[in-house]
Amino acid sequence: MAKEPKEFSHEVENLIASFRGLPEDESKARPRKTQDLGALIDELLVKYRISHDSLEHSIREKWVELVGAPNAAYSHPVVVERGQLLVLVSHAVVRNELFHHRLQILEKLRKLPGCDGIKGLTLRAG
């Protein structure tokens, strides 16, 4: 069973280079051990939820059920940030309607998987 050679410190590598008449390595970079690409990709898929639908995508799919077809035609959920769902609304009357029914919308919204942390709606013209 062959053992891998021990790695020298940066200072020792430069000392050896000096003895051999080679230029010293002035960089701060350190060699790292290689990783299995498959395991790294699996880790990234889980970390960034690439293989799963995003929270915003799930909300958009159910938006008509959450606010009703007439209101959904003039509004669009964009992003969840700091517990707030940003909704762009293209008509003032619909914005007012969503504002008055925001508690009922939030109650329905929190029943969706992963949406229990949403604390409020932010309505913007758009």
CSV table of all heavy atoms in Angstrom, one decimal, residues 58-122:
chain,number,residue,atom,x,y,z
A,58,SER,N,-43.8,28.1,-7.2
A,58,SER,CA,-45.0,27.4,-6.6
A,58,SER,C,-46.1,28.4,-6.4
A,58,SER,O,-47.3,28.1,-6.6
A,58,SER,CB,-44.6,26.8,-5.3
A,58,SER,OG,-43.6,25.9,-5.5
A,59,ILE,N,-45.7,29.6,-5.9
A,59,ILE,CA,-46.7,30.7,-5.7
A,59,ILE,C,-47.4,31.1,-7.0
A,59,ILE,O,-48.6,31.3,-7.1
A,59,ILE,CB,-46.1,31.9,-5.0
A,59,ILE,CG1,-45.6,31.5,-3.6
A,59,ILE,CG2,-47.1,33.1,-4.9
A,59,ILE,CD1,-44.8,32.5,-2.8
A,60,ARG,N,-46.6,31.3,-8.1
A,60,ARG,CA,-47.1,31.7,-9.4
A,60,ARG,C,-48.1,30.7,-9.9
A,60,ARG,O,-49.1,31.0,-10.5
A,60,ARG,CB,-46.0,31.9,-10.4
A,60,ARG,CG,-45.3,33.2,-10.2
A,60,ARG,CD,-44.3,33.5,-11.3
A,60,ARG,NE,-43.2,34.3,-10.7
A,60,ARG,CZ,-42.0,33.8,-10.5
A,60,ARG,NH1,-41.6,32.6,-10.9
A,60,ARG,NH2,-41.1,34.6,-9.9
A,61,GLU,N,-47.8,29.4,-9.7
A,61,GLU,CA,-48.7,28.3,-10.1
A,61,GLU,C,-50.1,28.4,-9.5
A,61,GLU,O,-51.1,28.1,-10.1
A,61,GLU,CB,-48.1,26.9,-9.9
A,61,GLU,CG,-47.0,26.6,-10.9
A,61,GLU,CD,-46.5,25.2,-10.7
A,61,GLU,OE1,-46.7,24.6,-9.5
A,61,GLU,OE2,-45.9,24.6,-11.6
A,62,LYS,N,-50.1,28.8,-8.2
A,62,LYS,CA,-51.3,28.9,-7.4
A,62,LYS,C,-51.9,30.3,-7.3
A,62,LYS,O,-52.9,30.5,-6.6
A,62,LYS,CB,-51.1,28.3,-6.0
A,62,LYS,CG,-50.6,26.9,-5.9
A,62,LYS,CD,-51.6,25.9,-6.3
A,62,LYS,CE,-51.1,24.5,-6.1
A,62,LYS,NZ,-52.1,23.5,-6.4
A,63,TRP,N,-51.4,31.2,-8.0
A,63,TRP,CA,-51.7,32.6,-7.9
A,63,TRP,C,-53.2,32.9,-8.2
A,63,TRP,O,-53.9,33.6,-7.5
A,63,TRP,CB,-50.9,33.5,-8.7
A,63,TRP,CG,-51.0,35.0,-8.4
A,63,TRP,CD1,-51.4,35.9,-9.3
A,63,TRP,CD2,-50.8,35.6,-7.2
A,63,TRP,NE1,-51.5,37.2,-8.6
A,63,TRP,CE2,-51.0,37.0,-7.4
A,63,TRP,CE3,-50.3,35.2,-5.9
A,63,TRP,CZ2,-50.9,37.9,-6.3
A,63,TRP,CZ3,-50.1,36.1,-4.9
A,63,TRP,CH2,-50.4,37.5,-5.1
A,64,VAL,N,-53.8,32.2,-9.2
A,64,VAL,CA,-55.2,32.4,-9.6
A,64,VAL,C,-56.1,31.9,-8.4
A,64,VAL,O,-57.1,32.6,-8.1
A,64,VAL,CB,-55.5,31.7,-10.9
A,64,VAL,CG1,-57.0,31.7,-11.2
A,64,VAL,CG2,-54.7,32.3,-12.0
A,65,GLU,N,-55.7,30.8,-7.8
A,65,GLU,CA,-56.5,30.3,-6.7
A,65,GLU,C,-56.4,31.2,-5.4
A,65,GLU,O,-57.3,31.3,-4.7
A,65,GLU,CB,-56.0,28.9,-6.3
A,65,GLU,CG,-56.2,27.9,-7.4
A,65,GLU,CD,-55.5,26.6,-7.1
A,65,GLU,OE1,-55.3,26.2,-5.9
A,65,GLU,OE2,-55.2,25.9,-8.1
A,66,LEU,N,-55.2,31.8,-5.3
A,66,LEU,CA,-55.0,32.7,-4.1
A,66,LEU,C,-55.7,34.0,-4.2
A,66,LEU,O,-56.3,34.5,-3.2
A,66,LEU,CB,-53.5,33.0,-3.9
A,66,LEU,CG,-52.6,31.8,-3.6
A,66,LEU,CD1,-51.1,32.1,-3.7
A,66,LEU,CD2,-52.9,31.3,-2.2
A,67,VAL,N,-55.7,34.6,-5.4
A,67,VAL,CA,-56.3,36.0,-5.5
A,67,VAL,C,-57.5,36.1,-6.4
A,67,VAL,O,-58.2,37.1,-6.4
A,67,VAL,CB,-55.3,37.0,-5.9
A,67,VAL,CG1,-54.1,37.1,-5.0
A,67,VAL,CG2,-54.8,36.7,-7.3
A,68,GLY,N,-57.9,35.0,-7.1
A,68,GLY,CA,-59.0,35.0,-8.0
A,68,GLY,C,-58.5,35.4,-9.4
A,68,GLY,O,-57.6,36.2,-9.6
A,69,ALA,N,-59.2,34.9,-10.4
A,69,ALA,CA,-58.9,35.1,-11.8
A,69,ALA,C,-58.8,36.6,-12.2
A,69,ALA,O,-57.9,37.1,-12.8
A,69,ALA,CB,-59.8,34.3,-12.7
A,70,PRO,N,-59.8,37.4,-11.8
A,70,PRO,CA,-59.8,38.8,-12.2
A,70,PRO,C,-58.6,39.6,-11.7
A,70,PRO,O,-57.9,40.4,-12.4
A,70,PRO,CB,-61.1,39.4,-11.7
A,70,PRO,CG,-62.0,38.3,-11.5
A,70,PRO,CD,-61.1,37.1,-11.2
A,71,ASN,N,-58.3,39.3,-10.4
A,71,ASN,CA,-57.1,40.0,-9.8
A,71,ASN,C,-55.8,39.4,-10.3
A,71,ASN,O,-54.8,40.2,-10.4
A,71,ASN,CB,-57.1,39.9,-8.2
A,71,ASN,CG,-58.3,40.7,-7.6
A,71,ASN,OD1,-58.7,41.7,-8.2
A,71,ASN,ND2,-58.7,40.2,-6.5
A,72,ALA,N,-55.8,38.1,-10.6
A,72,ALA,CA,-54.5,37.5,-11.1
A,72,ALA,C,-54.2,38.0,-12.5
A,72,ALA,O,-53.0,38.0,-12.8
A,72,ALA,CB,-54.7,36.0,-11.1
A,73,ALA,N,-55.2,38.4,-13.2
A,73,ALA,CA,-54.9,39.0,-14.6
A,73,ALA,C,-54.1,40.3,-14.5
A,73,ALA,O,-53.4,40.6,-15.5
A,73,ALA,CB,-56.2,39.2,-15.3
A,74,TYR,N,-54.2,41.0,-13.4
A,74,TYR,CA,-53.5,42.3,-13.3
A,74,TYR,C,-52.4,42.3,-12.3
A,74,TYR,O,-51.9,43.4,-11.9
A,74,TYR,CB,-54.5,43.4,-13.0
A,74,TYR,CG,-55.5,43.6,-14.1
A,74,TYR,CD1,-56.8,43.0,-14.1
A,74,TYR,CD2,-55.2,44.4,-15.2
A,74,TYR,CE1,-57.7,43.2,-15.2
A,74,TYR,CE2,-56.1,44.6,-16.3
A,74,TYR,CZ,-57.3,44.0,-16.2
A,74,TYR,OH,-58.2,44.2,-17.3
A,75,SER,N,-52.0,41.2,-11.8
A,75,SER,CA,-51.0,41.1,-10.7
A,75,SER,C,-50.1,39.9,-11.0
A,75,SER,O,-50.5,39.0,-11.6
A,75,SER,CB,-51.6,41.0,-9.4
A,75,SER,OG,-52.4,39.8,-9.2
A,76,HIS,N,-48.8,40.1,-10.5
A,76,HIS,CA,-47.8,39.0,-10.7
A,76,HIS,C,-46.9,38.9,-9.5
A,76,HIS,O,-46.2,39.9,-9.2
A,76,HIS,CB,-47.0,39.4,-12.0
A,76,HIS,CG,-46.0,38.4,-12.3
A,76,HIS,ND1,-46.3,37.1,-12.8
A,76,HIS,CD2,-44.6,38.4,-12.2
A,76,HIS,CE1,-45.2,36.5,-13.0
A,76,HIS,NE2,-44.2,37.2,-12.7
A,77,PRO,N,-46.9,37.8,-8.8
A,77,PRO,CA,-45.9,37.6,-7.7
A,77,PRO,C,-44.5,37.5,-8.2
A,77,PRO,O,-44.3,36.8,-9.2
A,77,PRO,CB,-46.4,36.3,-7.0
A,77,PRO,CG,-47.1,35.6,-8.0
A,77,PRO,CD,-47.7,36.6,-9.0
A,78,VAL,N,-43.6,38.3,-7.7
A,78,VAL,CA,-42.2,38.3,-8.2
A,78,VAL,C,-41.2,37.5,-7.4
A,78,VAL,O,-40.6,36.6,-7.9
A,78,VAL,CB,-41.7,39.8,-8.4
A,78,VAL,CG1,-40.3,39.8,-9.0
A,78,VAL,CG2,-42.7,40.5,-9.3
A,79,VAL,N,-41.0,38.0,-6.1
A,79,VAL,CA,-40.0,37.4,-5.3
A,79,VAL,C,-40.3,37.4,-3.8
A,79,VAL,O,-41.1,38.3,-3.4
A,79,VAL,CB,-38.6,38.1,-5.6
A,79,VAL,CG1,-38.6,39.5,-5.1
A,79,VAL,CG2,-37.4,37.3,-5.0
A,80,VAL,N,-39.8,36.5,-3.1
A,80,VAL,CA,-39.9,36.5,-1.6
A,80,VAL,C,-38.6,37.0,-1.0
A,80,VAL,O,-37.6,36.4,-1.2
A,80,VAL,CB,-40.3,35.2,-1.0
A,80,VAL,CG1,-40.4,35.2,0.5
A,80,VAL,CG2,-41.6,34.7,-1.6
A,81,GLU,N,-38.6,38.1,-0.3
A,81,GLU,CA,-37.4,38.7,0.3
A,81,GLU,C,-37.8,39.1,1.7
A,81,GLU,O,-38.7,39.8,1.9
A,81,GLU,CB,-36.9,39.9,-0.4
A,81,GLU,CG,-36.3,39.6,-1.8
A,81,GLU,CD,-35.8,40.8,-2.5
A,81,GLU,OE1,-36.3,41.9,-2.2
A,81,GLU,OE2,-34.9,40.7,-3.3
A,82,ARG,N,-37.0,38.6,2.7
A,82,ARG,CA,-37.1,39.0,4.1
A,82,ARG,C,-38.6,38.8,4.6
A,82,ARG,O,-39.1,39.6,5.3
A,82,ARG,CB,-36.7,40.4,4.3
A,82,ARG,CG,-35.3,40.7,4.1
A,82,ARG,CD,-34.9,42.1,4.4
A,82,ARG,NE,-33.7,42.5,3.8
A,82,ARG,CZ,-33.6,43.4,2.9
A,82,ARG,NH1,-34.6,44.2,2.6
A,82,ARG,NH2,-32.4,43.7,2.3
A,83,GLY,N,-39.2,37.7,4.2
A,83,GLY,CA,-40.5,37.3,4.6
A,83,GLY,C,-41.6,38.1,4.0
A,83,GLY,O,-42.8,38.0,4.4
A,84,GLN,N,-41.3,38.9,2.9
A,84,GLN,CA,-42.3,39.7,2.2
A,84,GLN,C,-42.4,39.1,0.8
A,84,GLN,O,-41.4,39.0,0.1
A,84,GLN,CB,-41.9,41.1,2.2
A,84,GLN,CG,-41.9,41.8,3.6
A,84,GLN,CD,-43.3,42.1,4.1
A,84,GLN,OE1,-44.2,42.5,3.3
A,84,GLN,NE2,-43.5,41.8,5.4
A,85,LEU,N,-43.6,39.0,0.3
A,85,LEU,CA,-43.9,38.6,-1.1
A,85,LEU,C,-44.1,39.9,-1.9
A,85,LEU,O,-45.0,40.6,-1.6
A,85,LEU,CB,-45.1,37.7,-1.2
A,85,LEU,CG,-45.5,37.4,-2.7
A,85,LEU,CD1,-44.4,36.6,-3.4
A,85,LEU,CD2,-46.8,36.6,-2.7
A,86,LEU,N,-43.2,40.1,-2.8
A,86,LEU,CA,-43.4,41.3,-3.7
A,86,LEU,C,-44.3,41.0,-4.8
A,86,LEU,O,-44.1,40.0,-5.5
A,86,LEU,CB,-42.0,41.8,-4.2
A,86,LEU,CG,-42.0,42.9,-5.3
A,86,LEU,CD1,-42.6,44.2,-4.7
A,86,LEU,CD2,-40.6,43.1,-5.9
A,87,VAL,N,-45.3,41.8,-5.0
A,87,VAL,CA,-46.3,41.6,-6.0
A,87,VAL,C,-46.4,42.8,-6.9
A,87,VAL,O,-46.6,43.9,-6.3
A,87,VAL,CB,-47.7,41.2,-5.4
A,87,VAL,CG1,-48.7,41.0,-6.6
A,87,VAL,CG2,-47.7,40.0,-4.5
A,88,LEU,N,-46.2,42.7,-8.2
A,88,LEU,CA,-46.4,43.8,-9.1
A,88,LEU,C,-47.8,43.8,-9.6
A,88,LEU,O,-48.4,42.8,-10.0
A,88,LEU,CB,-45.4,43.6,-10.3
A,88,LEU,CG,-44.0,43.7,-10.0
A,88,LEU,CD1,-43.2,43.5,-11.3
A,88,LEU,CD2,-43.6,44.9,-9.3
A,89,VAL,N,-48.4,45.0,-9.5
A,89,VAL,CA,-49.9,45.2,-9.8
A,89,VAL,C,-49.9,46.2,-10.9
A,89,VAL,O,-49.4,47.3,-10.7
A,89,VAL,CB,-50.7,45.5,-8.6
A,89,VAL,CG1,-52.2,45.5,-8.9
A,89,VAL,CG2,-50.4,44.6,-7.4
A,90,SER,N,-50.6,45.9,-12.0
A,90,SER,CA,-50.7,46.9,-13.1
A,90,SER,C,-52.0,47.7,-13.1
A,90,SER,O,-52.1,48.6,-14.0
A,90,SER,CB,-50.6,46.1,-14.4
A,90,SER,OG,-51.7,45.2,-14.6
A,91,HIS,N,-52.8,47.6,-12.2
A,91,HIS,CA,-54.1,48.4,-12.1
A,91,HIS,C,-54.3,48.8,-10.7
A,91,HIS,O,-54.3,48.0,-9.8
A,91,HIS,CB,-55.2,47.6,-12.7
A,91,HIS,CG,-56.4,48.4,-13.1
A,91,HIS,ND1,-57.3,48.9,-12.2
A,91,HIS,CD2,-56.8,48.8,-14.3
A,91,HIS,CE1,-58.2,49.6,-12.8
A,91,HIS,NE2,-58.0,49.5,-14.1
A,92,ALA,N,-54.6,50.1,-10.5
A,92,ALA,CA,-54.8,50.7,-9.1
A,92,ALA,C,-56.0,50.0,-8.4
A,92,ALA,O,-55.9,49.8,-7.2
A,92,ALA,CB,-55.0,52.2,-9.2
A,93,VAL,N,-57.0,49.7,-9.1
A,93,VAL,CA,-58.2,49.1,-8.4
A,93,VAL,C,-57.8,47.7,-7.9
A,93,VAL,O,-58.2,47.3,-6.8
A,93,VAL,CB,-59.4,49.0,-9.4
A,93,VAL,CG1,-60.6,48.3,-8.8
A,93,VAL,CG2,-59.8,50.4,-9.8
A,94,VAL,N,-57.1,47.0,-8.7
A,94,VAL,CA,-56.7,45.6,-8.3
A,94,VAL,C,-55.7,45.7,-7.1
A,94,VAL,O,-55.8,44.9,-6.1
A,94,VAL,CB,-56.0,44.8,-9.4
A,94,VAL,CG1,-55.5,43.5,-9.0
A,94,VAL,CG2,-57.1,44.6,-10.5
A,95,ARG,N,-54.8,46.7,-7.1
A,95,ARG,CA,-53.9,46.9,-6.0
A,95,ARG,C,-54.7,47.2,-4.7
A,95,ARG,O,-54.4,46.6,-3.7
A,95,ARG,CB,-53.0,48.1,-6.3
A,95,ARG,CG,-51.9,48.3,-5.2
A,95,ARG,CD,-51.0,49.5,-5.6
A,95,ARG,NE,-50.0,49.7,-4.7
A,95,ARG,CZ,-50.1,50.4,-3.6
A,95,ARG,NH1,-51.2,51.0,-3.3
A,95,ARG,NH2,-49.1,50.5,-2.7
A,96,ASN,N,-55.7,48.0,-4.8
A,96,ASN,CA,-56.5,48.3,-3.6
A,96,ASN,C,-57.3,47.1,-3.2
A,96,ASN,O,-57.4,46.8,-2.0
A,96,ASN,CB,-57.5,49.4,-4.0
A,96,ASN,CG,-58.2,50.0,-2.8
A,96,ASN,OD1,-57.5,50.1,-1.7
A,96,ASN,ND2,-59.4,50.4,-2.9
A,97,GLU,N,-57.8,46.3,-4.1
A,97,GLU,CA,-58.5,45.0,-3.8
A,97,GLU,C,-57.5,44.1,-3.1
A,97,GLU,O,-57.9,43.5,-2.0
A,97,GLU,CB,-59.0,44.4,-5.1
A,97,GLU,CG,-59.9,43.2,-4.9
A,97,GLU,CD,-61.3,43.5,-4.4
A,97,GLU,OE1,-61.7,44.7,-4.5
A,97,GLU,OE2,-61.9,42.6,-3.9
A,98,LEU,N,-56.3,43.9,-3.6
A,98,LEU,CA,-55.4,43.0,-2.9
A,98,LEU,C,-55.0,43.5,-1.6
A,98,LEU,O,-54.8,42.7,-0.6
A,98,LEU,CB,-54.1,42.8,-3.8
A,98,LEU,CG,-54.3,42.1,-5.1
A,98,LEU,CD1,-53.0,42.1,-5.9
A,98,LEU,CD2,-54.9,40.7,-5.0
A,99,PHE,N,-54.8,44.8,-1.4
A,99,PHE,CA,-54.5,45.4,-0.1
A,99,PHE,C,-55.5,45.1,0.9
A,99,PHE,O,-55.2,44.7,2.0
A,99,PHE,CB,-54.3,46.9,-0.3
A,99,PHE,CG,-53.9,47.6,1.0
A,99,PHE,CD1,-52.6,47.4,1.5
A,99,PHE,CD2,-54.8,48.3,1.8
A,99,PHE,CE1,-52.3,48.0,2.8
A,99,PHE,CE2,-54.5,48.8,3.0
A,99,PHE,CZ,-53.2,48.7,3.5
A,100,HIS,N,-56.8,45.2,0.5
A,100,HIS,CA,-57.9,45.0,1.5
A,100,HIS,C,-58.1,43.5,1.8
A,100,HIS,O,-58.5,43.2,2.9
A,100,HIS,CB,-59.2,45.6,1.0
A,100,HIS,CG,-59.2,47.1,1.0
A,100,HIS,ND1,-59.2,47.8,2.2
A,100,HIS,CD2,-59.3,48.0,0.1
A,100,HIS,CE1,-59.2,49.1,2.0
A,100,HIS,NE2,-59.3,49.3,0.7
A,101,HIS,N,-57.7,42.6,0.9
A,101,HIS,CA,-57.8,41.2,1.2
A,101,HIS,C,-56.5,40.5,1.5
A,101,HIS,O,-56.4,39.3,1.5
A,101,HIS,CB,-58.5,40.5,0.0
A,101,HIS,CG,-59.9,41.0,-0.3
A,101,HIS,ND1,-60.9,40.6,0.5
A,101,HIS,CD2,-60.4,41.8,-1.2
A,101,HIS,CE1,-62.0,41.1,0.1
A,101,HIS,NE2,-61.7,41.9,-1.0
A,102,ARG,N,-55.5,41.3,1.9
A,102,ARG,CA,-54.1,40.8,2.1
A,102,ARG,C,-54.1,39.7,3.2
A,102,ARG,O,-53.3,38.8,3.1
A,102,ARG,CB,-53.1,41.9,2.3
A,102,ARG,CG,-53.2,42.6,3.6
A,102,ARG,CD,-52.3,43.8,3.7
A,102,ARG,NE,-52.4,44.5,5.0
A,102,ARG,CZ,-53.4,45.4,5.2
A,102,ARG,NH1,-54.3,45.7,4.3
A,102,ARG,NH2,-53.5,46.0,6.4
A,103,LEU,N,-54.9,39.9,4.3
A,103,LEU,CA,-54.8,38.9,5.3
A,103,LEU,C,-55.4,37.6,4.9
A,103,LEU,O,-54.8,36.5,5.2
A,103,LEU,CB,-55.6,39.4,6.6
A,103,LEU,CG,-55.0,40.7,7.2
A,103,LEU,CD1,-55.9,41.1,8.4
A,103,LEU,CD2,-53.6,40.5,7.7
A,104,GLN,N,-56.5,37.6,4.1
A,104,GLN,CA,-57.0,36.3,3.6
A,104,GLN,C,-56.0,35.7,2.6
A,104,GLN,O,-55.9,34.5,2.6
A,104,GLN,CB,-58.4,36.6,2.9
A,104,GLN,CG,-59.5,37.0,3.8
A,104,GLN,CD,-59.6,38.5,4.0
A,104,GLN,OE1,-58.7,39.2,3.7
A,104,GLN,NE2,-60.7,38.9,4.5
A,105,ILE,N,-55.4,36.5,1.8
A,105,ILE,CA,-54.4,36.0,0.8
A,105,ILE,C,-53.2,35.4,1.5
A,105,ILE,O,-52.8,34.3,1.2
A,105,ILE,CB,-53.9,37.1,-0.1
A,105,ILE,CG1,-55.1,37.6,-1.0
A,105,ILE,CG2,-52.8,36.7,-1.0
A,105,ILE,CD1,-54.8,38.9,-1.8
A,106,LEU,N,-52.8,36.0,2.6
A,106,LEU,CA,-51.6,35.5,3.3
A,106,LEU,C,-52.0,34.2,4.0
A,106,LEU,O,-51.2,33.3,4.1
A,106,LEU,CB,-51.2,36.5,4.4
A,106,LEU,CG,-50.3,37.6,3.9
A,106,LEU,CD1,-50.1,38.7,4.9
A,106,LEU,CD2,-49.0,37.1,3.4
A,107,GLU,N,-53.2,34.1,4.5
A,107,GLU,CA,-53.7,32.9,5.2
A,107,GLU,C,-53.7,31.7,4.2
A,107,GLU,O,-53.2,30.6,4.5
A,107,GLU,CB,-55.1,33.1,5.7
A,107,GLU,CG,-55.6,32.0,6.5
A,107,GLU,CD,-57.0,32.3,7.1
A,107,GLU,OE1,-57.2,33.4,7.6
A,107,GLU,OE2,-57.9,31.4,7.0
A,108,LYS,N,-54.2,31.9,3.0
A,108,LYS,CA,-54.1,30.9,1.9
A,108,LYS,C,-52.7,30.6,1.5
A,108,LYS,O,-52.3,29.4,1.3
A,108,LYS,CB,-54.9,31.3,0.7
A,108,LYS,CG,-56.4,31.5,0.9
A,108,LYS,CD,-57.0,32.0,-0.4
A,108,LYS,CE,-58.4,32.4,-0.3
A,108,LYS,NZ,-59.0,32.9,-1.5
A,109,LEU,N,-51.9,31.6,1.4
A,109,LEU,CA,-50.5,31.5,1.0
A,109,LEU,C,-49.7,30.7,1.9
A,109,LEU,O,-48.9,29.8,1.5
A,109,LEU,CB,-49.9,32.9,0.8
A,109,LEU,CG,-48.5,33.1,0.2
A,109,LEU,CD1,-48.6,32.6,-1.2
A,109,LEU,CD2,-48.1,34.5,0.2
A,110,ARG,N,-49.9,30.9,3.2
A,110,ARG,CA,-49.1,30.1,4.2
A,110,ARG,C,-49.4,28.6,4.2
A,110,ARG,O,-48.7,27.9,4.8
A,110,ARG,CB,-49.3,30.7,5.6
A,110,ARG,CG,-48.7,32.1,5.7
A,110,ARG,CD,-48.9,32.7,7.1
A,110,ARG,NE,-48.4,34.0,7.2
A,110,ARG,CZ,-49.1,35.0,7.7
A,110,ARG,NH1,-50.3,34.8,8.3
A,110,ARG,NH2,-48.6,36.2,7.7
A,111,LYS,N,-50.5,28.2,3.6
A,111,LYS,CA,-50.9,26.8,3.5
A,111,LYS,C,-50.1,26.1,2.5
A,111,LYS,O,-50.0,24.9,2.4
A,111,LYS,CB,-52.4,26.7,3.3
A,111,LYS,CG,-53.2,27.1,4.5
A,111,LYS,CD,-54.7,27.0,4.2
A,111,LYS,CE,-55.5,27.5,5.4
A,111,LYS,NZ,-56.9,27.5,5.1
A,112,LEU,N,-49.5,26.9,1.5
A,112,LEU,CA,-48.6,26.2,0.5
A,112,LEU,C,-47.3,25.7,1.1
A,112,LEU,O,-46.8,26.3,2.0
A,112,LEU,CB,-48.3,27.3,-0.6
A,112,LEU,CG,-49.5,27.8,-1.4
A,112,LEU,CD1,-49.0,28.8,-2.4
A,112,LEU,CD2,-50.2,26.6,-2.2
A,113,PRO,N,-46.8,24.7,0.6
A,113,PRO,CA,-45.5,24.1,1.1
A,113,PRO,C,-44.4,25.1,1.0
A,113,PRO,O,-44.2,25.7,0.0
A,113,PRO,CB,-45.2,22.9,0.2
A,113,PRO,CG,-46.5,22.6,-0.5
A,113,PRO,CD,-47.3,23.8,-0.5
A,114,GLY,N,-43.7,25.4,2.2
A,114,GLY,CA,-42.6,26.3,2.2
A,114,GLY,C,-42.9,27.7,2.4
A,114,GLY,O,-42.0,28.6,2.5
A,115,CYS,N,-44.2,28.1,2.4
A,115,CYS,CA,-44.6,29.5,2.4
A,115,CYS,C,-45.0,29.9,3.8
A,115,CYS,O,-45.5,31.1,4.0
A,115,CYS,CB,-45.8,29.7,1.5
A,115,CYS,SG,-45.3,29.5,-0.3
A,116,ASP,N,-44.8,29.1,4.8
A,116,ASP,CA,-45.3,29.5,6.2
A,116,ASP,C,-44.5,30.6,6.8
A,116,ASP,O,-44.9,31.3,7.7
A,116,ASP,CB,-45.2,28.3,7.1
A,116,ASP,CG,-43.9,27.6,7.1
A,116,ASP,OD1,-43.1,27.8,6.2
A,116,ASP,OD2,-43.6,26.8,8.0
A,117,GLY,N,-43.3,30.9,6.2
A,117,GLY,CA,-42.5,32.0,6.7
A,117,GLY,C,-42.8,33.4,6.1
A,117,GLY,O,-42.2,34.4,6.4
A,118,ILE,N,-43.8,33.4,5.2
A,118,ILE,CA,-44.1,34.7,4.5
A,118,ILE,C,-45.0,35.5,5.5
A,118,ILE,O,-46.0,35.1,6.0
A,118,ILE,CB,-44.9,34.5,3.2
A,118,ILE,CG1,-43.9,33.8,2.2
A,118,ILE,CG2,-45.3,35.8,2.6
A,118,ILE,CD1,-44.6,33.4,0.9
A,119,LYS,N,-44.5,36.7,5.8
A,119,LYS,CA,-45.2,37.6,6.9
A,119,LYS,C,-46.1,38.6,6.3
A,119,LYS,O,-47.0,39.1,6.9
A,119,LYS,CB,-44.1,38.3,7.7
A,119,LYS,CG,-43.0,37.4,8.3
A,119,LYS,CD,-43.5,36.9,9.6
A,119,LYS,CE,-42.3,36.1,10.3
A,119,LYS,NZ,-42.3,34.7,10.0
A,120,GLY,N,-45.9,39.0,5.0
A,120,GLY,CA,-46.7,40.1,4.4
A,120,GLY,C,-46.6,40.2,2.9
A,120,GLY,O,-45.7,39.5,2.3
A,121,LEU,N,-47.4,41.0,2.4
A,121,LEU,CA,-47.4,41.3,0.9
A,121,LEU,C,-46.9,42.8,0.7
A,121,LEU,O,-47.3,43.7,1.4
A,121,LEU,CB,-48.8,41.2,0.3
A,121,LEU,CG,-49.5,39.9,0.3
A,121,LEU,CD1,-50.9,40.0,-0.3
A,121,LEU,CD2,-48.7,38.9,-0.4
A,122,THR,N,-46.0,42.9,-0.3
A,122,THR,CA,-45.6,44.3,-0.7
A,122,THR,C,-46.2,44.4,-2.1
A,122,THR,O,-45.8,43.7,-3.0
A,122,THR,CB,-44.1,44.4,-0.7
A,122,THR,OG1,-43.6,44.1,0.6
A,122,THR,CG2,-43.6,45.8,-1.1
